[in-house]
C-alpha cells in the first residue's frame, strides 16, 4: 500500500491519528508492501485465489564489488515469456531490476529434482559467459529471489542455536590454488579440489504458508520462502540430486554441460501471521541485540551531555544577564565587558554572505526532506518490504521543497544586505544540486562502462533533469520572490535588536581555544558521537547489503542530533562572544557542519577495515557516493547549527539593554 505525503495539514493530522488508532486496535496491521495474495490448490482456483506461484529474480550484488549486475548478465536460465516488474524511481536509482524467472510452482504441489534448463559450454562457444560466471563466483556475487513480494532467504547456523537468514545466496564458491577454502565452500566437505570453482546449480526450496483457518480470508497466504543452494553434477540422461558437486575447472578443456534443477515442498504453519512474515528475517540480522544495547547507552550518554550543556548555558547566561543589568542600574557603572562589548558589531554582515545564504537555503530543503521521510518511515510506509520507497520519497520531497529553499536563501541574503537577487536564486537552484548531479553523472558513466544494473537509463536521467528544471527550479524562484518581498515582521526578520556601528571593532588577541579553527574542530565531535552507532548500521545496509528497519530508533537519534548540534554550536558561539570575537555567522555554520568531516573520516575507516571491496572502479564509486552523502550532511548539520546560533544571538541581545 503506497502512502503519498499530503500538503494539507489537517489531512496529515487525521492520517496520523487514524494510524495510531489502527496500531492500537490491531498490532498486526501490515502497512508496507503489496496487498495480500491468497493461494489455493490447482483445481480450486477463484478470482481471489490463484494456484500458480511465480518466482521473480532481482539484481546480483557483492560485498567485494560496488557494481551490481542484472540477472540476465549471467548465463542463468531465462524465462521464455519474460516479464518485468514495474519499478519506482528509488528502485531504478538503486539499480534494482526485477524480472520473471523460469521457476514457477503450483501451490501445495511438491517437486523433486525438477529440471529447469541446460547450459552447454564448449571451448569455442560461450567462453566469455563462463569466465564472467567464474568472476562472479570469485567476487562472491549473491542472487536475490522474490516470491510474493517476499525475499527467498538462505538460513544457516552462525552460532549454537542461532540462525542467520540472508535474503540472498551465492552463485557458487571457489577453492584457491593453494587449497584455501573461500566463502560458502566451507559448508560442504565435498568442495575440496584445489583451483576449482563450484557452481550452485540446484536449490531446495521450502515455502511455508498460513492455511487461513480461523481467519477472514479465502485460501492460504505465504509467510516464508527459504532455500538451500546445492551443487550437483547432473547428466542429460540422469538427474541425480544426490551426487558429486558441479565443478567448473580453471581452464576448460572440453564440453561442459550445466543442468539447473530445483526441489520444492510446502509446509503449513498457522502460528505465523501474514503481517509478521518479515520478522524472522529482521530478528536474525547479526548484532541486532548489540545494536539495541549500544543505542540505549549512546542515547543515555548523549542525553546526559545535552542536559549538562543546557544547564551550563542557562545558569551562565542567567548570571551574565543579571550581572549586566545590575551594573547598568547602579550609579557607578563604568564599563561594559564580555559579550556585551560587541553589540555594535554582532550583526555585521559576513564575508561571502551570498554563499552562506545559498548553503542555508539548501540545508533547509534537506532538513525538511529528511524529517518528513523519517517520519513516514516510522509509520511503516517506507519499510524494506516497500522496495525503493525510501529513495523515491526523498527525491520527490526534495523536488517539491524548492520553495522553502528559495525563501530562506533570499531572506538571509537580504538580511546580509545583498541586492543581487538573481545571482542568489540561480546559485540556490543550481550550485549544490549541480555538484551532486555532476558527481552522480560521473559515477553513472563508470557504471555504464562496466555494464552494471546500477547505471541509470538515459530516460530516467532525462526525467530527473525534467523534475529539477521543471519543478524544483520554478519553486525555488517562487520562494525567493516571497523571500525578497516579505515584510520584516514575518519569518527571519531583517531588523536586529541592536544597531551596527559604522567602524568595525578591533578583535583582541585570541587564545588557542577561542580561535575559530579549534572551535570548529571541537564542535563536530559531540554530534558525531550521536550518530556513530547508527552510521555503522546504515553503512552496512548500503555497502554490505544488510536490511535496515529500525527507523524509530533512527528518528530518535535524528532528534538528538538536532539538539546536540544546536547546543554545541550555541555553547561555542557564547564562548567566542565572551572573547569579544563577533565573527559568528560562518563559524556557527561550520561548527556543526564539521560533523560531516568526521563522517568522511569514518567512511574511510569503514572502507579499509570493514569492507572487502577490490578494483579501481568500485573504489571510485564508493568514495564518489560518499562525497555526495558528506555534502548533504554538511549542509544539513551546518544549517541546524546556524539557525540555533542565530536565534540565540537575537535572543540575548534583545533581552539585555544596550546603548
Amino acid at each position: 500500500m503506497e502512502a503519498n505525503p499530503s500538503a494539507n495539514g489537517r489531512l496529515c493530522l487525521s492520517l496520523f491519528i487514524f494510524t495510531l488508532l489502527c496500531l492500537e486496535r490491531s498490532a498486526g496491521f501490515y502497512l508496507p508492501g503489496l496487498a495480500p495474495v491468497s493461494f489455493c490448490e490447482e483445481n480450486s482456483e477463484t478470482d481471489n485465489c490463484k494456484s500458480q506461484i511465480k518466482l521473480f529474480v532481482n539484481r546480483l550484488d557483492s560485498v567485494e564489488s560496488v557494481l551490481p549486475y542484472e540477472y540476465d548478465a549471467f548465463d542463468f536460465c531465462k524465462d521464455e515469456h519474460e516479464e518485468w516488474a514495474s519499478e519506482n524511481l528509488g528502485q531504478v536509482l538503486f539499480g534494482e531490476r526485477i524480472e520473471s524467472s523460469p521457476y514457477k510452482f503450483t501451490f501445495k504441489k511438491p517437486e523433486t529434482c525438477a529440471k529447469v534448463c541446460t547450459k552447454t559450454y564448449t571451448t569455442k562457444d560461450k567462453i566469455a559467459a563462463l569466465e564472467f560466471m567464474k568472476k562472479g563466483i570469485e567476487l562472491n556475487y549473491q542472487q536475490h529471489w522474490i516470491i510474493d513480494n517476499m525475499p527467498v532467504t538462505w538460513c544457516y547456523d552462525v552460532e549454537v542455536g542461532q540462525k542467520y537468514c540472508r535474503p540472498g545466496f551465492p552463485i557458487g564458491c571457489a577453492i584457491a590454488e593453494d587449497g584455501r577454502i573461500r566463502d560458502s565452500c566451507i559448508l560442504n566437505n565435498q568442495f575440496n579440489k584445489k583451483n576449482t570453482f563450484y557452481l550452485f546449480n540446484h536449490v531446495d526450496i521450502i515455502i511455508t504458508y498460513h492455511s487461513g483457518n480461523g481467519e477472514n480470508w479465502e485460501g492460504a497466504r505465504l509467510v516464508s520462502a527459504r532455500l538451500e543452494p546445492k551443487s550437483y553434477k547432473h547428466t542429460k540422461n540422469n538427474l541425480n540430486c544426490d551426487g558429486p558437486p558441479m565443478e567448473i575447472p580453471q581452464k576448460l578443456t572440453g564440453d561442459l554441460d550445466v543442468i539447473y534443477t530445483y526441489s520444492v515442498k510446502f509446509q503449513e504453519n498457522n502460528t505465523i501471521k501474514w503481517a509478521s512474515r518479515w520478522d524472522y528475517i529482521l530478528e536474525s540480522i547479526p548484532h541486532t541485540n548489540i545494536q539495541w544495547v549500544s543505542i540505549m547507552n549512546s542515547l543515555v550518554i548523549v542525553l546526559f551531555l545535552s542536559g549538562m550543556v543546557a544547564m551550563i548555558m542557562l545558569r551562565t547566561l542567567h548570571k551574565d544577564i543579571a550581572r549586566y543589568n545590575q551594573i547598568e542600574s547602579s550609579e557607578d557603572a563604568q564599563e561594559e565587558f564580555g559579550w556585551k562589548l560587541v553589540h555594535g558589531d554582532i550583526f555585521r554582515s559576513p564575508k561571502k554572505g551570498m554563499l552562506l545564504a545559498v548553503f542555508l537555503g539548501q540545508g533547509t530543503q534537506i532538513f525538511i526532506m529528511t524529517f518528513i521521510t523519517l517520519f513516514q518511515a516510522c509509520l511503516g510506509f517506507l519499510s524494506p518490504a516497500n522496495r525503493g520507497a525510501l529513495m523515491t520519497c526523498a527525491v520527490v520531497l526534495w523536488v517539491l521543497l524548492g520553495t522553502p529553499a528559495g525563501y530562506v536563501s533570499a531572506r538571509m541574503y537580504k538580511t546580509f544586505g545583498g541586492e543581487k537577487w538573481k545571482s542568489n536564486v540561480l546559485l540556490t537552484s543550481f550550485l549544490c544540486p549541480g555538484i551532486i548531479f555532476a558527481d552522480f553523472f560521473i559515477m553513472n558513466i563508470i557504471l555504464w562502462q562496466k555494464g552494471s544494473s546500477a547505471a541509470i537509463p538515459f530516460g530516467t536521467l532525462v526525467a530527473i533533469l525534467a523534475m529539477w528544471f521543471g519543478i524544483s527550479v520554478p519553486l525555488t524562484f517562487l520562494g525567493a520572490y516571497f523571500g525578497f518581498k516579505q515584510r520584516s515582521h514575518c519569518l527571519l526578520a531583517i531588523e536586529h535588536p541592536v544597531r551596527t556601528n559604522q567602524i568595525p571593532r578591533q578583535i583582541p588577541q585570541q587564545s588557542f581555544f577561542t580561535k575559530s579553527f579549534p572551535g570548529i574542530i571541537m564542535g563536530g565531535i559531540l554530534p558525531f558521537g550521536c550518530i556513530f552507532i547508527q552510521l555503522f548500521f546504515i553503512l552496512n545496509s548500503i555497502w554490505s547489503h544488510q536490511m535496515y528497519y529500525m527507523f524509530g530508533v533512527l528518528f530518535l537519534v535524528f532528534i538528538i542530533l538536532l539538539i546536540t548540534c544546536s547546543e554545541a554550536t550555541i555553547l561555542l558561539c557564547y564562548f567566542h562572544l565572551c572573547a569579544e570575537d563577533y565573527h559568528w555567522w560562518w563559524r556557527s555554520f561550520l561548527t556543526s557542519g564539521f560533523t560531516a568531516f568526521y563522517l568522511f573520516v569514518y567512511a574511510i575507516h569503514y572502507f579499509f577495515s570493514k569492507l572487502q571491496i577490490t578494483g579501481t572502479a568500485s573504489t571510485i564509486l564508493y568514495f564518489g557516493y560518499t562525497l555526495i552523502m558528506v555534502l548533504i550532511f554538511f549542509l544539513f548539520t551546518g544549517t541546524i547549527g546556524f539557525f540555533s546560533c542565530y536565534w540565540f544571538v537575537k535572543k540575548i541581545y534583545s533581552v539585555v539593554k544596550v546603548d
Side-chain angles (χ1 to χ4, degrees), residues 273-483:
K273 300 297 183 181
W274 185 86
S276 304
R277 62 181 188 163
W278 282 71
D279 289 357
Y280 82 99
I281 305 175
L282 303 178
E283 291 172 357
S284 71
I285 294 177
H287 311 302
T288 300
N289 295 331
I290 298 175
Q291 180 178 0
W292 276 108
V293 173
S294 301
I295 287 173
M296 296 308 300
N297 290 337
S298 177
L299 292 179
V300 170
I301 293 173
V302 170
L303 288 174
F304 174 75
L305 292 176
S306 301
M308 290 296 295
V309 171
M311 184 178 66
I312 292 172
M313 284 302 307
L314 290 174
R315 290 174 63 88
T316 304
L317 190 58
H318 178 74
K319 289 181 179 180
D320 282 347
I321 292 175
R323 181 174 58 186
Y324 292 147
N325 289 335
Q326 183 179 4
I327 291 176
E328 285 194 351
S329 62
S330 63
E331 296 180 358
D332 57 347
Q334 295 291 330
E335 185 180 358
E336 299 173 348
F337 54 89
W339 50 268
K340 194 176 180 184
L341 284 171
V342 297
H343 68 271
D345 299 275
I346 192 67
F347 291 108
R348 188 174 302 278
S349 297
K351 297 180 180 178
K352 307 293 182 181
M354 181 183 291
L355 182 62
L356 179 58
V358 169
F359 284 173
L360 293 173
Q362 286 295 320
T364 303
Q365 187 177 14
I366 294 170
F367 166 73
I368 300 174
M369 175 198 74
T370 306
F371 181 85
I372 297 176
T373 302
L374 287 180
F375 182 73
Q376 290 200 71
C378 288
L379 296 181
F381 294 117
L382 308 178
S383 78
N386 202 353
R387 295 177 179 84
L390 188 71
M391 179 60 74
T392 303
C393 178
V395 172
V396 171
L397 283 174
W398 182 86
V399 170
L400 297 178
L401 289 171
T403 302
Y407 178 86
V408 171
S409 178
R411 201 71 185 147
M412 293 309 303
Y413 181 59
K414 192 174 182 181
T415 301
F416 299 152
E419 298 179 352
K420 299 179 180 179
W421 68 271
K422 294 181 180 179
S423 300
N424 171 256
V425 69
L426 287 174
L427 285 175
T428 304
S429 301
F430 297 107
L431 179 61
C432 296
I435 294 173
I436 293 175
F437 184 82
D439 188 337
F440 182 78
F441 185 73
I442 293 173
M443 299 301 105
N444 204 51
I445 291 176
I446 297 175
L447 293 170
W448 269 339
Q449 194 272 330
K450 294 293 182 179
S452 172
S453 67
I456 308 302
F458 179 75
T460 305
L461 280 178
V462 173
I464 293 175
L465 289 174
M467 294 169 64
W468 180 13
F469 287 95
I471 302 177
S472 179
V473 172
L475 289 177
T476 304
F477 272 81
L478 180 65
Y481 171 80
F482 286 109

Side-chain angles (χ1 to χ4, degrees), residues 207-247:
I207 300 177
T208 307
Y209 63 92
H210 189 295
S211 65
N213 293 335
E215 304 290 345
N216 58 353
W217 68 66
E218 178 184 0
R221 291 181 180 175
L222 308 186
V223 293
S224 74
R226 311 186 191 196
L227 62 76
E228 183 177 355
K230 295 183 178 180
S231 178
Y232 296 123
K233 187 175 183 179
H234 304 292
T235 60
K236 292 184 177 180
N237 299 324
N238 182 21
L239 298 180
N240 183 10
C241 289
D242 194 21
M246 182 67 218
E247 300 177 0

Side-chain angles (χ1 to χ4, degrees), residues 52-288:
Q52 189 181 54
I53 301 174
K54 294 183 179 180
L55 188 148
F56 288 86
V57 292
N58 202 345
R59 66 174 186 176
L60 285 83
D61 52 39
S62 169
V63 295
E64 299 182 29
S65 175
V66 180
L67 302 168
Y69 288 100
E70 294 183 20
Y71 183 81
D72 288 343
F74 293 87
D75 195 26
F76 296 131
C77 298
K78 305 295 191 298
D79 190 7
E80 294 181 357
H81 307 285
E82 199 169 44
E83 301 176 12
W84 291 85
S86 58
E87 298 166 347
N88 55 41
L89 179 61
Q91 288 177 286
V92 176
L93 293 177
F94 275 124
E96 293 194 12
R97 301 292 185 267
I98 301 177
E99 58 183 286
S100 61
S101 75
Y103 298 86
K104 295 177 174 60
F105 319 119
T106 302
F107 182 66
K108 295 182 71 173
K109 182 180 179 181
E111 297 279 357
T112 302
C113 209
K115 181 180 177 181
V116 183
C117 74
T118 302
K119 295 290 182 178
T120 302
Y121 304 93
T122 65
T123 54
K124 296 181 180 180
D125 188 27
K126 292 191 174 181
I127 293 298
L130 186 62
E131 290 298 323
F132 189 73
M133 181 85 72
K134 289 160 62 176
K135 185 66 175 178
I137 294 175
E138 188 176 2
L139 292 175
N140 196 25
Y141 269 85
Q142 308 283 311
Q143 297 192 62
H144 296 275
W145 290 3
I146 302 169
I147 289 180
D148 190 30
N149 194 42
M150 181 175 53
V152 183
T153 58
W154 176 35
C155 299
Y156 52 88
D157 294 328
V158 290
E159 294 179 4
V160 178
Q162 182 179 357
K163 280 186 176 293
Y164 171 45
C165 292
R166 173 192 295 180
F169 65 97
I171 301 174
C173 64
I175 305 295
E177 190 173 359
D178 57 0
R180 181 169 49 91
I181 301 176
R182 298 190 56 190
D183 305 320
S184 307
C185 281
I186 197 173
L187 300 177
N188 191 334
N189 55 14
Q190 289 186 318
F191 300 151
N192 52 24
K193 187 178 292 187
K194 296 181 180 180
N195 202 23
T196 303
F197 293 88
Y198 293 93
L199 178 67
F200 292 141
N201 61 331
H202 176 88
V203 287
D204 287 334
I205 303 175
I206 300 176
I207 300 177
T208 307
Y209 63 92
H210 189 295
S211 65
N213 293 335
E215 304 290 345
N216 58 353
W217 68 66
E218 178 184 0
R221 291 181 180 175
L222 308 186
V223 293
S224 74
R226 311 186 191 196
L227 62 76
E228 183 177 355
K230 295 183 178 180
S231 178
Y232 296 123
K233 187 175 183 179
H234 304 292
T235 60
K236 292 184 177 180
N237 299 324
N238 182 21
L239 298 180
N240 183 10
C241 289
D242 194 21
M246 182 67 218
E247 300 177 0
I248 300 179
Q250 188 70 30
K251 292 184 179 180
L252 189 63
T253 57
D255 294 350
L256 178 67
D257 292 327
V258 178
I259 301 176
Y260 290 87
T261 57
Y262 73 92
S263 299
V264 61
K265 62 180 180 179
F266 295 84
Q267 292 181 349
E268 180 180 338
N269 189 338
N270 293 336
T271 61
I272 303 175
K273 300 297 183 181
W274 185 86
S276 304
R277 62 181 188 163
W278 282 71
D279 289 357
Y280 82 99
I281 305 175
L282 303 178
E283 291 172 357
S284 71
I285 294 177
H287 311 302
T288 300

Side-chain angles (χ1 to χ4, degrees), residues 618-639:
S618 294
T619 303
I620 294 174
L621 289 169
Y622 175 86
F623 285 102
Y625 289 128
T626 298
L627 287 175
I628 294 177
M629 182 170 61
V630 168
L631 175 59
I632 292 174
F633 196 74
F634 169 72
L635 297 172
F636 165 71
T637 53
T639 301

